[in-house]
Amino acid sequence: MRKGNDLQHLWRDHVDERLALEAREFTREHVAPVADALDRDDRYPLDLVRLTAERGWNSMTLDPRYGGEGRPMTELLAVLEELSVASAILGISLITIFQSQRCIELYGEESLKERYLPRYAGGLPASFALTEDGHGSDIRTLDTKAHRTDKGWVLNGEKAFITSGAAAELFVVLAETDVGVSTFAVTKDTPGVSSYQGHEAETFGLRNGPHVNLVLEDVEVPADHLIGTEGRGLKQVMVTLANSRTLAAGISLGIARAAFEGALRYVDKRSAFGTKVLDFQGIQWYFAELAAQIDATRLLTYEAARDLDAGRDIARSSSSAKLLAASLATKVASTAVQVCGAHGTRETQPFGRYLRDAKAYEVAGGSAEVLKNTVAKSLVKAVRVEDR
Protein backbone atom coordinates (compact mmCIF):
# COMPACT_ATOMS: atom_id res chain seq x y z
CA MET A 1 0.00 0.00 0.00
CA ARG A 2 1.38 3.38 -0.94
CA LYS A 3 1.71 6.03 1.70
CA GLY A 4 -0.07 9.36 1.49
CA ASN A 5 -3.16 11.22 2.56
CA ASP A 6 -4.94 12.05 -0.70
CA LEU A 7 -7.70 9.77 -1.96
CA GLN A 8 -5.64 8.29 -4.77
CA HIS A 9 -3.76 6.40 -2.06
CA LEU A 10 -6.89 4.65 -0.82
CA TRP A 11 -6.51 1.86 -3.33
CA ARG A 12 -3.70 -0.61 -3.66
CA ASP A 13 -1.84 -0.72 -6.98
CA HIS A 14 -1.92 -4.21 -8.45
CA VAL A 15 0.66 -3.37 -11.15
CA ASP A 16 3.71 -1.17 -11.55
CA GLU A 17 2.88 2.03 -9.69
CA ARG A 18 4.41 4.12 -12.48
CA LEU A 19 1.83 2.81 -14.95
CA ALA A 20 -1.07 3.61 -12.63
CA LEU A 21 0.38 7.08 -12.02
CA GLU A 22 0.75 7.70 -15.76
CA ALA A 23 -2.87 6.70 -16.37
CA ARG A 24 -4.02 8.80 -13.42
CA GLU A 25 -2.19 11.89 -14.67
CA PHE A 26 -3.53 11.36 -18.19
CA THR A 27 -7.03 11.08 -16.76
CA ARG A 28 -6.67 14.26 -14.76
CA GLU A 29 -5.29 16.25 -17.69
CA HIS A 30 -7.29 14.95 -20.65
CA VAL A 31 -10.33 12.93 -19.56
CA ALA A 32 -11.83 14.57 -16.49
CA PRO A 33 -12.26 18.02 -18.13
CA VAL A 34 -14.46 16.60 -20.92
CA ALA A 35 -16.23 13.73 -19.14
CA ASP A 36 -19.49 15.55 -18.47
CA ALA A 37 -19.64 16.95 -22.00
CA LEU A 38 -19.11 13.52 -23.56
CA ASP A 39 -22.04 12.19 -21.56
CA ARG A 40 -24.27 15.18 -22.24
CA ASP A 41 -23.56 15.19 -25.98
CA ASP A 42 -23.58 11.38 -26.37
CA ARG A 43 -20.33 11.61 -28.30
CA TYR A 44 -17.66 9.06 -29.18
CA PRO A 45 -14.37 10.30 -27.65
CA LEU A 46 -12.32 9.98 -30.83
CA ASP A 47 -9.69 12.53 -29.76
CA LEU A 48 -9.13 10.68 -26.49
CA VAL A 49 -8.96 7.33 -28.26
CA ARG A 50 -6.17 8.70 -30.45
CA LEU A 51 -4.34 10.07 -27.42
CA THR A 52 -4.52 6.73 -25.63
CA ALA A 53 -3.18 5.08 -28.78
CA GLU A 54 -0.17 7.42 -28.68
CA ARG A 55 0.63 6.03 -25.25
CA GLY A 56 0.41 2.46 -26.53
CA TRP A 57 -2.69 1.60 -24.51
CA ASN A 58 -4.94 0.65 -27.46
CA SER A 59 -2.56 -2.14 -28.47
CA MET A 60 -1.04 -2.79 -25.08
CA THR A 61 -1.54 -6.56 -24.97
CA LEU A 62 -1.07 -7.07 -28.71
CA ASP A 63 1.90 -9.09 -29.96
CA PRO A 64 4.85 -6.78 -30.83
CA ARG A 65 4.90 -8.35 -34.31
CA TYR A 66 1.77 -6.31 -35.03
CA GLY A 67 2.82 -3.05 -33.39
CA GLY A 68 1.71 -3.94 -29.87
CA GLU A 69 3.63 -4.07 -26.63
CA GLY A 70 2.89 -7.63 -25.52
CA ARG A 71 2.14 -6.48 -21.98
CA PRO A 72 -0.01 -8.47 -19.54
CA MET A 73 -3.75 -8.13 -19.10
CA THR A 74 -3.26 -6.88 -15.54
CA GLU A 75 -1.61 -3.73 -16.88
CA LEU A 76 -4.35 -3.02 -19.42
CA LEU A 77 -6.89 -3.60 -16.65
CA ALA A 78 -5.14 -1.01 -14.49
CA VAL A 79 -5.20 1.55 -17.29
CA LEU A 80 -8.91 1.04 -18.04
CA GLU A 81 -9.79 1.23 -14.35
CA GLU A 82 -7.99 4.55 -13.94
CA LEU A 83 -9.44 6.04 -17.14
CA SER A 84 -12.94 4.97 -16.11
CA VAL A 85 -12.69 6.79 -12.79
CA ALA A 86 -13.11 9.92 -14.88
CA SER A 87 -15.15 8.54 -17.77
CA ALA A 88 -16.66 5.12 -18.30
CA ILE A 89 -17.42 6.37 -21.81
CA LEU A 90 -13.72 6.23 -22.67
CA GLY A 91 -13.47 2.83 -20.99
CA ILE A 92 -16.32 1.36 -23.04
CA SER A 93 -14.82 2.81 -26.24
CA LEU A 94 -11.50 1.11 -25.58
CA ILE A 95 -13.06 -2.22 -24.62
CA THR A 96 -14.81 -2.53 -28.00
CA ILE A 97 -11.45 -1.86 -29.64
CA PHE A 98 -9.90 -4.61 -27.52
CA GLN A 99 -12.66 -7.09 -28.34
CA SER A 100 -12.31 -6.80 -32.10
CA GLN A 101 -8.53 -6.81 -31.84
CA ARG A 102 -8.49 -9.86 -29.60
CA CYS A 103 -10.78 -11.88 -31.84
CA ILE A 104 -8.59 -11.24 -34.89
CA GLU A 105 -5.39 -11.92 -32.95
CA LEU A 106 -6.66 -15.19 -31.50
CA TYR A 107 -8.33 -16.63 -34.59
CA GLY A 108 -7.51 -14.68 -37.76
CA GLU A 109 -5.30 -15.89 -40.58
CA GLU A 110 -1.84 -14.36 -40.71
CA SER A 111 -2.73 -12.25 -43.75
CA LEU A 112 -5.71 -10.78 -41.87
CA LYS A 113 -3.61 -10.06 -38.80
CA GLU A 114 -0.96 -8.30 -40.86
CA ARG A 115 -3.59 -6.23 -42.63
CA TYR A 116 -5.47 -4.88 -39.60
CA LEU A 117 -3.70 -5.44 -36.28
CA PRO A 118 -0.95 -2.82 -36.83
CA ARG A 119 -3.66 -0.21 -37.33
CA TYR A 120 -4.78 -0.51 -33.71
CA ALA A 121 -1.54 1.09 -32.54
CA GLY A 122 -2.50 4.09 -34.66
CA GLY A 123 -5.86 4.52 -32.94
CA LEU A 124 -8.17 2.47 -35.16
CA PRO A 125 -11.75 2.73 -33.79
CA ALA A 126 -13.40 -0.68 -33.95
CA SER A 127 -16.41 -2.58 -32.68
CA PHE A 128 -18.12 -5.93 -32.30
CA ALA A 129 -21.30 -6.34 -34.39
CA LEU A 130 -23.03 -9.30 -32.80
CA THR A 131 -26.63 -8.54 -31.90
CA GLU A 132 -29.74 -8.29 -34.05
CA ASP A 133 -33.15 -6.81 -33.32
CA GLY A 134 -34.84 -10.18 -33.60
CA HIS A 135 -32.41 -12.10 -31.43
CA GLY A 136 -30.82 -9.83 -28.81
CA SER A 137 -28.34 -11.73 -26.65
CA ASP A 138 -29.24 -15.02 -28.35
CA ILE A 139 -26.63 -15.20 -31.12
CA ARG A 140 -26.91 -18.93 -31.79
CA THR A 141 -29.04 -18.31 -34.90
CA LEU A 142 -28.89 -15.14 -36.96
CA ASP A 143 -30.72 -13.39 -39.77
CA THR A 144 -27.44 -12.01 -41.12
CA LYS A 145 -26.15 -14.52 -43.67
CA ALA A 146 -22.82 -15.09 -45.42
CA HIS A 147 -22.20 -17.35 -48.39
CA ARG A 148 -18.97 -18.39 -50.03
CA THR A 149 -18.02 -17.29 -53.54
CA ASP A 150 -15.03 -17.86 -55.83
CA LYS A 151 -13.49 -14.63 -54.51
CA GLY A 152 -14.36 -14.93 -50.84
CA TRP A 153 -17.62 -14.18 -49.02
CA VAL A 154 -20.77 -12.12 -49.49
CA LEU A 155 -22.67 -10.86 -46.42
CA ASN A 156 -26.27 -9.69 -46.19
CA GLY A 157 -28.24 -8.63 -43.14
CA GLU A 158 -28.52 -6.04 -40.40
CA LYS A 159 -26.85 -5.89 -37.02
CA ALA A 160 -28.45 -3.80 -34.29
CA PHE A 161 -27.51 -1.69 -31.27
CA ILE A 162 -23.77 -1.62 -32.00
CA THR A 163 -21.71 0.04 -29.26
CA SER A 164 -19.01 2.37 -30.66
CA GLY A 165 -20.61 1.86 -34.06
CA ALA A 166 -20.97 5.59 -34.68
CA ALA A 167 -17.19 5.93 -35.10
CA ALA A 168 -15.94 2.40 -35.82
CA GLU A 169 -13.91 1.88 -38.98
CA LEU A 170 -13.63 -1.89 -38.54
CA PHE A 171 -16.33 -4.31 -37.41
CA VAL A 172 -16.11 -7.91 -36.30
CA VAL A 173 -19.42 -9.23 -37.63
CA LEU A 174 -21.24 -12.40 -36.67
CA ALA A 175 -23.13 -14.04 -39.55
CA GLU A 176 -24.61 -17.44 -40.27
CA THR A 177 -23.12 -19.64 -43.01
CA ASP A 178 -24.12 -23.07 -44.30
CA VAL A 179 -22.32 -24.78 -41.42
CA GLY A 180 -23.20 -22.42 -38.59
CA VAL A 181 -22.44 -19.06 -37.00
CA SER A 182 -19.16 -17.57 -38.24
CA THR A 183 -17.12 -14.42 -37.66
CA PHE A 184 -15.97 -11.90 -40.28
CA ALA A 185 -13.86 -8.74 -40.45
CA VAL A 186 -15.65 -5.96 -42.34
CA THR A 187 -14.44 -2.39 -42.82
CA LYS A 188 -16.76 0.59 -42.80
CA ASP A 189 -15.68 1.67 -46.29
CA THR A 190 -16.50 -1.67 -47.95
CA PRO A 191 -19.13 -1.21 -50.69
CA GLY A 192 -22.56 -2.20 -49.39
CA VAL A 193 -21.81 -1.26 -45.76
CA SER A 194 -23.92 1.50 -44.24
CA SER A 195 -25.27 2.43 -40.83
CA TYR A 196 -28.06 4.46 -39.31
CA GLN A 197 -29.32 5.53 -35.93
CA GLY A 198 -32.73 4.12 -35.12
CA HIS A 199 -35.26 5.80 -32.86
CA GLU A 200 -33.96 3.72 -29.94
CA ALA A 201 -30.27 4.43 -30.58
CA GLU A 202 -29.58 6.36 -27.37
CA THR A 203 -29.10 4.88 -23.91
CA PHE A 204 -29.19 6.63 -20.54
CA GLY A 205 -25.70 5.45 -19.61
CA LEU A 206 -22.35 4.64 -21.25
CA ARG A 207 -23.14 7.26 -23.87
CA ASN A 208 -20.20 6.99 -26.29
CA GLY A 209 -22.28 7.94 -29.32
CA PRO A 210 -25.74 6.65 -30.22
CA HIS A 211 -25.80 2.94 -30.96
CA VAL A 212 -26.13 2.24 -34.67
CA ASN A 213 -27.63 -0.44 -36.86
CA LEU A 214 -25.11 -1.83 -39.32
CA VAL A 215 -26.56 -2.69 -42.72
CA LEU A 216 -24.81 -5.20 -45.01
CA GLU A 217 -26.06 -5.35 -48.59
CA ASP A 218 -24.16 -7.77 -50.83
CA VAL A 219 -20.94 -6.93 -48.99
CA GLU A 220 -17.99 -8.76 -50.56
CA VAL A 221 -14.96 -9.55 -48.42
CA PRO A 222 -11.86 -11.63 -49.25
CA ALA A 223 -11.65 -15.26 -48.16
CA ASP A 224 -9.21 -14.48 -45.33
CA HIS A 225 -11.75 -12.10 -43.76
CA LEU A 226 -13.47 -15.14 -42.31
CA ILE A 227 -12.01 -15.09 -38.81
CA GLY A 228 -10.99 -18.57 -37.77
CA THR A 229 -12.95 -21.69 -38.69
CA GLU A 230 -16.31 -21.48 -40.42
CA GLY A 231 -19.09 -22.44 -38.03
CA ARG A 232 -16.99 -21.77 -34.92
CA GLY A 233 -17.91 -18.12 -34.57
CA LEU A 234 -20.02 -18.57 -31.46
CA LYS A 235 -17.15 -20.22 -29.58
CA GLN A 236 -14.72 -17.55 -30.76
CA VAL A 237 -17.00 -14.76 -29.59
CA MET A 238 -17.56 -16.41 -26.21
CA VAL A 239 -13.80 -16.70 -25.62
CA THR A 240 -13.27 -13.09 -26.72
CA LEU A 241 -16.02 -11.84 -24.40
CA ALA A 242 -14.60 -13.86 -21.52
CA ASN A 243 -11.27 -12.13 -22.18
CA SER A 244 -12.91 -8.70 -22.11
CA ARG A 245 -15.16 -9.24 -19.08
CA THR A 246 -12.22 -8.72 -16.78
CA LEU A 247 -11.71 -5.32 -18.39
CA ALA A 248 -15.44 -4.65 -18.05
CA ALA A 249 -15.10 -5.33 -14.33
CA GLY A 250 -12.28 -2.78 -14.25
CA ILE A 251 -14.51 -0.17 -15.86
CA SER A 252 -17.20 -0.80 -13.24
CA LEU A 253 -14.57 -0.50 -10.53
CA GLY A 254 -13.58 2.85 -11.97
CA ILE A 255 -17.19 4.03 -11.72
CA ALA A 256 -17.42 2.76 -8.15
CA ARG A 257 -14.23 4.53 -7.13
CA ALA A 258 -15.36 7.80 -8.73
CA ALA A 259 -18.67 7.75 -6.87
CA PHE A 260 -17.02 6.70 -3.61
CA GLU A 261 -14.28 9.32 -3.72
CA GLY A 262 -16.61 12.11 -4.83
CA ALA A 263 -19.09 11.40 -2.06
CA LEU A 264 -16.37 11.02 0.56
CA ARG A 265 -14.91 14.42 -0.31
CA TYR A 266 -18.33 16.05 -0.17
CA VAL A 267 -19.46 14.68 3.21
CA ASP A 268 -16.11 15.65 4.71
CA LYS A 269 -16.80 19.27 3.75
CA ARG A 270 -20.55 19.37 4.40
CA SER A 271 -21.73 20.36 7.87
CA ALA A 272 -25.03 19.40 9.48
CA PHE A 273 -26.28 19.71 13.06
CA GLY A 274 -23.07 21.40 14.10
CA THR A 275 -20.61 18.81 12.78
CA LYS A 276 -19.18 17.41 9.56
CA VAL A 277 -21.44 14.83 7.94
CA LEU A 278 -18.51 12.41 7.76
CA ASP A 279 -18.23 12.48 11.55
CA PHE A 280 -21.57 10.68 11.92
CA GLN A 281 -20.94 7.03 12.66
CA GLY A 282 -23.72 5.87 10.35
CA ILE A 283 -22.13 7.71 7.42
CA GLN A 284 -18.70 6.30 8.27
CA TRP A 285 -20.14 2.79 8.26
CA TYR A 286 -21.52 3.33 4.76
CA PHE A 287 -18.05 4.16 3.52
CA ALA A 288 -16.29 1.46 5.53
CA GLU A 289 -18.50 -1.26 4.07
CA LEU A 290 -18.20 0.05 0.53
CA ALA A 291 -14.42 0.38 0.81
CA ALA A 292 -14.15 -3.23 1.94
CA GLN A 293 -16.34 -4.38 -0.94
CA ILE A 294 -14.35 -2.36 -3.48
CA ASP A 295 -11.11 -3.81 -2.12
CA ALA A 296 -12.44 -7.37 -2.32
CA THR A 297 -13.84 -6.95 -5.83
CA ARG A 298 -10.60 -5.41 -7.08
CA LEU A 299 -8.66 -8.39 -5.70
CA LEU A 300 -10.97 -10.79 -7.54
CA THR A 301 -10.77 -8.77 -10.75
CA TYR A 302 -6.98 -8.62 -10.82
CA GLU A 303 -6.82 -12.32 -10.02
CA ALA A 304 -9.05 -12.95 -13.06
CA ALA A 305 -6.60 -10.92 -15.16
CA ARG A 306 -3.71 -13.01 -13.82
CA ASP A 307 -5.67 -16.16 -14.75
CA LEU A 308 -5.84 -14.86 -18.30
CA ASP A 309 -2.14 -13.99 -18.39
CA ALA A 310 -1.31 -17.48 -17.10
CA GLY A 311 -3.49 -19.22 -19.66
CA ARG A 312 -5.86 -20.63 -17.07
CA ASP A 313 -9.61 -21.16 -17.56
CA ILE A 314 -11.19 -17.73 -17.15
CA ALA A 315 -14.88 -18.45 -17.71
CA ARG A 316 -15.69 -18.47 -14.01
CA SER A 317 -13.23 -15.87 -12.72
CA SER A 318 -13.97 -13.27 -15.39
CA SER A 319 -17.72 -13.75 -15.05
CA SER A 320 -17.56 -13.53 -11.26
CA ALA A 321 -15.48 -10.37 -11.46
CA LYS A 322 -17.83 -8.64 -13.88
CA LEU A 323 -20.92 -9.79 -11.96
CA LEU A 324 -19.68 -8.42 -8.64
CA ALA A 325 -18.07 -5.26 -9.99
CA ALA A 326 -21.10 -4.16 -12.02
CA SER A 327 -23.48 -4.73 -9.11
CA LEU A 328 -21.13 -3.00 -6.70
CA ALA A 329 -20.75 0.06 -8.93
CA THR A 330 -24.52 0.54 -8.93
CA LYS A 331 -24.64 0.13 -5.16
CA VAL A 332 -21.81 2.61 -4.57
CA ALA A 333 -23.26 5.18 -6.98
CA SER A 334 -26.71 4.90 -5.38
CA THR A 335 -25.25 5.25 -1.89
CA ALA A 336 -23.21 8.25 -3.01
CA VAL A 337 -26.37 10.00 -4.15
CA GLN A 338 -28.05 9.16 -0.84
CA VAL A 339 -25.32 10.42 1.49
CA CYS A 340 -24.84 13.59 -0.56
CA GLY A 341 -28.53 14.43 -0.27
CA ALA A 342 -29.85 17.10 -2.60
CA HIS A 343 -26.31 17.78 -3.79
CA GLY A 344 -26.12 14.23 -5.14
CA THR A 345 -29.22 14.69 -7.29
CA ARG A 346 -28.13 17.89 -9.03
CA GLU A 347 -27.49 17.84 -12.76
CA THR A 348 -24.39 19.96 -12.15
CA GLN A 349 -22.84 17.07 -10.22
CA PRO A 350 -21.53 13.80 -11.72
CA PHE A 351 -23.33 11.41 -9.38
CA GLY A 352 -26.25 10.91 -11.74
CA ARG A 353 -23.79 10.00 -14.51
CA TYR A 354 -22.09 7.49 -12.25
CA LEU A 355 -25.41 5.86 -11.40
CA ARG A 356 -26.56 5.72 -15.03
CA ASP A 357 -23.25 4.31 -16.27
CA ALA A 358 -23.10 1.76 -13.46
CA LYS A 359 -26.61 0.45 -14.06
CA ALA A 360 -26.12 0.33 -17.82
CA TYR A 361 -23.08 -1.89 -17.33
CA GLU A 362 -25.06 -4.34 -15.25
CA VAL A 363 -26.90 -5.05 -18.51
CA ALA A 364 -24.25 -4.42 -21.17
CA GLY A 365 -21.19 -6.57 -21.75
CA GLY A 366 -22.86 -9.64 -20.28
CA SER A 367 -25.95 -9.21 -18.13
CA ALA A 368 -26.00 -10.39 -14.53
CA GLU A 369 -28.23 -13.30 -15.52
CA VAL A 370 -25.88 -14.48 -18.27
CA LEU A 371 -22.90 -14.23 -15.93
CA LYS A 372 -24.68 -16.21 -13.24
CA ASN A 373 -25.40 -18.93 -15.80
CA THR A 374 -21.70 -19.08 -16.71
CA VAL A 375 -20.59 -19.36 -13.10
CA ALA A 376 -23.29 -21.95 -12.38
CA LYS A 377 -22.16 -24.12 -15.33
CA SER A 378 -18.67 -24.31 -13.87
CA LEU A 379 -20.10 -25.39 -10.50
CA VAL A 380 -22.34 -28.04 -12.03
CA LYS A 381 -19.46 -29.37 -14.10
CA ALA A 382 -17.16 -29.53 -11.08
CA VAL A 383 -19.57 -31.42 -8.84
CA ARG A 384 -20.53 -33.92 -11.56
CA VAL A 385 -16.91 -34.65 -12.39
CA GLU A 386 -16.32 -35.25 -8.69
CA ASP A 387 -19.22 -37.70 -8.49
CA ARG A 388 -17.99 -39.90 -11.33
Side-chain angles (χ1 to χ4, degrees):
M1 178 73 74
R2 295 165 298 170
K3 295 180 180 179
N5 295 319
D6 55 301
L7 292 189
Q8 74 180 39
H9 297 100
L10 278 175
W11 316 110
R12 172 187 174 186
D13 284 332
H14 292 278
V15 297
D16 185 341
E17 184 175 341
R18 290 172 297 180
L19 175 63
L21 180 60
E22 180 185 357
R24 199 170 295 126
E25 291 177 344
F26 176 90
T27 297
R28 185 182 303 113
E29 180 179 355
H30 297 287
V31 186
V34 299
D36 286 329
L38 289 174
D39 173 68
R40 182 181 63 250
D41 299 339
D42 197 4
R43 175 163 48 92
Y44 185 88
L46 186 58
D47 290 343
L48 292 179
V49 168
R50 288 171 175 161
L51 287 175
T52 55
E54 290 177 5
R55 284 157 177 77
W57 294 338
N58 299 30
S59 55
M60 197 170 184
T61 62
L62 190 61
D63 192 301
R65 290 180 297 166
Y66 309 112
E69 300 185 6
R71 297 169 77 171
M73 179 64 74
T74 50
E75 295 191 0
L76 180 57
L77 169 61
V79 169
L80 258 67
E81 180 187 348
E82 291 297 337
L83 296 178
S84 299
V85 171
S87 174
I89 288 171
L90 179 56
I92 199 74
S93 301
L94 293 181
I95 204 172
T96 61
I97 289 172
F98 171 82
Q99 288 168 337
S100 63
Q101 174 192 124
R102 193 70 162 183
C103 191
I104 293 172
E105 183 180 20
L106 287 175
Y107 301 109
E109 291 187 19
E110 189 60 31
S111 58
L112 186 69
K113 294 178 184 180
E114 291 175 355
R115 182 191 295 255
Y116 293 119
L117 291 181
R119 294 177 59 186
Y120 284 96
L124 174 70
S127 182
F128 251 17
L130 307 182
T131 59
E132 297 178 356
D133 273 335
H135 299 282
S137 297
D138 184 1
I139 54 177
R140 295 170 298 178
T141 58
L142 299 168
D143 295 327
T144 301
K145 308 296 182 184
H147 68 268
R148 195 187 297 269
T149 68
D150 293 339
K151 297 180 180 180
W153 295 87
V154 174
L155 284 73
N156 281 281
E158 183 171 328
K159 313 302 289 187
F161 209 64
I162 308 304
T163 302
S164 299
E169 296 175 12
L170 175 67
F171 297 90
V172 169
V173 176
L174 213 57
E176 196 169 300
T177 68
D178 290 340
V179 300
V181 174
S182 304
T183 315
F184 297 87
V186 179
T187 59
K188 181 181 181 180
D189 59 3
T190 304
V193 175
S194 63
S195 64
Y196 68 92
Q197 297 175 12
H199 69 283
E200 295 181 337
E202 297 184 25
T203 57
F204 67 69
L206 301 176
R207 291 163 54 83
N208 75 330
H211 293 68
V212 303
N213 281 36
L214 184 70
V215 180
L216 307 165
E217 295 181 308
D218 294 326
V219 174
E220 298 183 15
V221 297
D224 67 351
H225 282 48
L226 169 70
I227 302 174
T229 304
E230 182 184 358
R232 297 287 292 170
L234 189 60
K235 175 66 174 178
Q236 294 162 8
V237 166
M238 290 300 102
V239 171
T240 302
L241 291 176
N243 276 238
S244 68
R245 277 176 183 152
T246 302
L247 300 178
I251 293 171
S252 288
L253 284 170
I255 300 169
R257 284 178 48 193
F260 182 97
E261 293 169 14
L264 187 62
R265 288 189 182 97
Y266 177 76
V267 298
D268 189 42
K269 295 176 181 177
R270 176 72 171 173
S271 295
F273 305 103
T275 188
K276 293 290 180 64
V277 172
L278 186 56
D279 289 331
F280 292 111
Q281 186 182 63
I283 298 297
Q284 292 179 356
W285 282 9
Y286 273 132
F287 285 101
E289 290 178 356
L290 293 177
Q293 291 167 12
I294 292 172
D295 285 341
T297 304
R298 291 184 79 233
L299 286 170
L300 173 62
T301 301
Y302 279 87
E303 185 62 25
R306 284 187 285 271
D307 284 346
L308 184 57
D309 289 332
R312 293 188 286 265
D313 183 11
I314 58 169
R316 177 181 170 186
S317 60
S318 66
S319 295
S320 295
K322 205 275 185 181
L323 176 66
L324 292 186
S327 175
L328 177 60
T330 301
K331 178 180 180 180
V332 175
S334 178
T335 304
V337 172
Q338 186 70 31
V339 300
C340 290
H343 178 80
T345 67
R346 290 173 177 148
E347 285 288 344
T348 56
Q349 299 303 315
F351 296 105
R353 168 163 61 89
Y354 301 150
L355 184 56
R356 289 184 285 104
D357 285 345
K359 190 60 186 178
Y361 223 11
E362 280 197 81
V363 176
S367 68
E369 292 77 15
V370 169
L371 299 175
K372 289 175 185 178
N373 286 342
T374 301
V375 174
K377 285 178 183 176
S378 71
L379 303 179
V380 171
K381 180 180 177 180
V383 72
R384 289 180 179 169
V385 168
E386 182 182 81
D387 289 341
R388 288 177 184 170

